[in-house]
Amino acid sequence: MITAKLNNLRTSPRKVRLVADLIRGMMVMEAEKQLRFSTKKASVPILKLLNSAIANAKQNAGLAKENLYIASIVVEAGRTLKRWRPRAMGRAGRIMKRTSHIILSLEQKGILKAEPEKTEKKFEILPQEEAVSKIPKQKKTYATTSRSKKRIFGQQAEGAGKKMFRRKKI
């Protein structure tokens, strides 16, 4: 797993997560195209971070760019800069200038574990008598209350539901 980090990006994490969600799980080539043509401000630093992670993969692990995909991209809140703005009647309003930390990790596509093969369920057509006999029958349970004898299927209601269903007739 190849990682690259970007600390203290002067953009709020909420805005960066919008772009990060776009490319999560994509192949590197597709993600690069997506970021290049995105209109979001956060796409430029994420593209730089992606290029840095690709360079790390080539230099340190000798991996080809075509086989890489974005395994995870995590956006966390960084330090918040607190500033003040003068308001009416001698008051001050707080301005929160948020920062982000981004952690991007790449993996090679060939290393992924193969998913188990899905087996198709085969259905057989039975005559009506056999089909009806194979349907499981549900057991009905009966309960009585002190007010009146009522037939209740399944479990008796608990908590707030008990009170709602014990109303008197008008």
Side-chain angles (χ1 to χ4, degrees), residues 15-155:
K15 293 176 183 175
V16 178
R17 280 188 195 110
L18 291 172
V19 179
D21 290 341
L22 280 175
I23 63 167
R24 186 174 285 120
M26 278 188 175
M27 294 297 289
V28 168
M29 303 292 276
E30 294 171 26
E32 205 171 17
K33 289 176 189 172
Q34 186 78 31
L35 291 171
R36 188 165 287 132
F37 294 108
S38 176
T39 57
K40 297 281 186 187
K41 179 186 164 189
S43 64
V44 174
I46 291 180
L47 180 61
K48 283 186 177 182
L49 182 67
L50 180 63
N51 289 333
S52 173
I54 293 167
N56 289 345
K58 282 183 182 176
Q59 186 68 29
N60 299 337
L63 301 175
K65 181 179 180 179
E66 294 79 26
N67 298 333
L68 296 173
Y69 77 99
I70 298 171
S72 71
I73 180 165
V74 180
V75 180
E76 297 173 345
R79 181 176 293 162
T80 302
L81 304 173
K82 294 169 181 91
R83 301 294 181 255
W84 300 95
R85 179 182 195 138
R87 307 303 287 175
M89 294 187 280
R91 295 190 180 106
R94 179 184 264 184
I95 298 172
M96 309 286 277
K97 296 186 176 242
R98 300 181 191 277
T99 61
S100 305
H101 299 318
I102 307 170
I103 304 166
L104 180 106
S105 36
L106 303 176
E107 283 188 6
Q108 195 171 8
K109 193 67 171 177
I111 298 174
L112 286 176
K113 294 179 182 176
E115 293 182 17
E117 293 181 17
K118 296 178 181 176
T119 57
E120 293 183 24
K121 293 183 180 179
K122 295 182 180 178
F123 297 100
E124 55 182 303
I125 300 172
L126 298 172
Q128 189 173 1
E129 297 82 28
E130 287 182 43
V132 170
S133 65
K134 288 191 176 185
I135 296 173
K137 295 182 180 179
Q138 296 178 350
K139 294 184 179 180
K140 298 177 182 177
T141 57
Y142 298 93
T144 57
T145 60
S146 59
R147 288 186 177 187
S148 65
K149 291 185 179 182
K150 293 182 181 178
R151 192 167 129 176
I152 301 172
F153 296 98
Q155 293 180 339

